[in-house]
Amino acid sequence: MFAEVEQRIGRLDCLVNNAARFTRFDPLEIEEQDWDFIHSVNLKATFFCCQSAARLMLASGGGRIVNISSLADKALG
């Protein structure tokens, strides 16, 4: 995705990360594969997206990254 941005636009000025996976699991029943999936989406993907964006931003003089999170369990009641 970032290679395409660089190719088509030539620079990246900002990135807004606003994606996450929320699934209710009983903490006493959660399996390792469930834990890995949640963290792959919510942490790993966010980190590597920021890393790729930052590399592109630095090449053109800088930019801004905004990460948005939520307390989805509170919103769902």
Side-chain angles (χ1 to χ4, degrees), residues 1-76:
M1 174 176 72
F2 292 100
E4 188 168 333
V5 167
E6 184 176 28
Q7 178 185 5
R8 289 183 180 207
I9 301 169
R11 61 180 289 130
L12 181 65
D13 296 313
C14 68
L15 167 71
V16 177
N17 277 318
N18 187 29
R21 172 73 178 158
F22 176 76
T23 306
R24 286 185 188 254
F25 286 106
D26 180 336
L28 299 177
E29 301 296 325
I30 193 167
E31 302 276 331
E32 185 174 358
Q33 68 187 32
D34 301 322
W35 184 257
D36 291 342
F37 174 75
I38 292 166
H39 284 87
S40 286
V41 173
N42 296 352
L43 297 175
K44 185 177 181 179
T46 299
F47 172 81
F48 285 108
C49 194
C50 288
Q51 183 186 63
S52 294
R55 287 179 175 151
L56 188 52
M57 289 174 185
L58 286 173
S60 62
R64 300 289 186 265
I65 297 175
V66 177
N67 292 309
I68 299 172
S69 65
S70 71
L71 295 173
D73 60 333
K74 299 293 183 191
L76 296 175

